[in-house]
Amino acid sequence: MMGPAHSLSGAAAWLGAGAAAAAAGHAMPWPVLVVGALICAGAALAPDLDHKSATISRAFGPISRNLCEIIDRLSHAVYKATRMKGDPRRNGGHRTLTHTALWALLIGAGASALAVTGGRWAVLGILFVHVVLAVEGLLWRVARMSSDILVWLLGAAGAWILAEVLNRPGNGSDWLFSGSGEEYMWLGLPIVLGALVHDIGDALTVSGCPILWPLPIGRKRWYPVGPPKAMRFRAGSWVELKVLMPSFMLLGALGGLGALEIV
């Protein structure tokens, strides 16, 4: 899928998770719901860091472009080192390592550890990166017409404000993990969810997605998981634009109302 659809699906997924959490007796304070939706929307772009033309590769200028090159080479190296006889030869690393459930879990766990041990500045960094990505994905038309610096300033201001709101008593810094020293541990959850939603979205397209790596399936370790080929679509097609994106908006709205226990 394309960037805007990925971001919408990420936001909708977190709002749906908020509704599920409320039903299970762990209702999210509204700042957690809002911050988590933004992080999840941004994280839903992150797996495409292995593609030089993706939204995330352009989001932070030379830093993200160079990181994209590194991740692409790393992913390609891992692919070559672990491929089985049934896996085709590849010239690049797109839709390999960063498009797996294992990668999503590792990135989310790393973010949680960073938030818990790194304190305020680590939280601000996590928020800044994902707010910028959320703007690039959800407001892509505005972002494309604006300079990168304006988007970064918006991300920095948003991160600062959101961190201040979360830090107030009862606003959710200790949501779900309430032990001493566990504040902000939940920040990894929307990152994991966003990456997984991205992978599932890509699995619906014609190329599929190797979500289950490194588990071997048949003669392939990088098996492209997906529905029957007749049910798949091409990225950017009318199915994505006219069916999936409106559906994500509707589901996100319903999830938000459920999370706030309005319905």
Side-chain angles (χ1 to χ4, degrees), residues 85 194 241:
K85 291 183 178 180
L241 300 175

Side-chain angles (χ1 to χ4, degrees), residues 245-262:
M245 290 182 68
S247 298
F248 295 151
M249 293 180 188
L250 177 60
L251 291 173
L254 292 175
L257 292 174
L260 296 173
E261 298 181 299
I262 297 175

Side-chain angles (χ1 to χ4, degrees), residues 32-102:
V32 173
L33 188 67
V34 172
V35 171
L38 288 172
I39 292 177
C40 203
L45 296 178
D48 275 344
L49 191 56
D50 59 6
H51 194 302
K52 63 182 180 181
S53 298
T55 301
I56 188 173
S57 70
R58 303 188 302 269
F60 300 97
I63 295 175
S64 53
R65 286 196 295 270
N66 290 330
L67 183 57
C68 171
E69 183 70 23
I70 294 170
I71 295 297
D72 180 44
R73 292 181 179 181
L74 172 64
S75 299
H76 190 213
V78 172
Y79 181 87
K80 289 194 298 182
T82 62
R83 64 182 287 267
M84 295 174 65
K85 291 183 178 180
D87 293 307
R89 295 186 181 276
R90 299 177 59 102
N91 294 321
H94 182 48
R95 283 204 186 184
T96 55
L97 181 60
T98 62
H99 286 69
T100 65
L102 179 59

Side-chain angles (χ1 to χ4, degrees), residues 5 12 19 26 40 43 66 78 81 104 113 121 153 155 160 163 185-186 191 211 218 231 242 245 249 253:
H26 296 285
C40 203
N66 290 330
V78 172
W121 289 108
L153 288 174
W160 189 273
M185 185 178 288
W186 62 268
I191 293 175
I211 301 173
M231 299 175 62
K242 303 297 185 181
M245 290 182 68
M249 293 180 188

Side-chain angles (χ1 to χ4, degrees), residues 111-119 123 172-189:
S112 288
L114 182 63
V116 170
T117 60
V123 172
S173 62
D174 60 349
W175 174 74
L176 201 59
F177 302 97
S178 56
S180 177
E182 294 180 348
E183 292 83 5
Y184 299 107
M185 185 178 288
W186 62 268
L187 283 180
L189 296 179

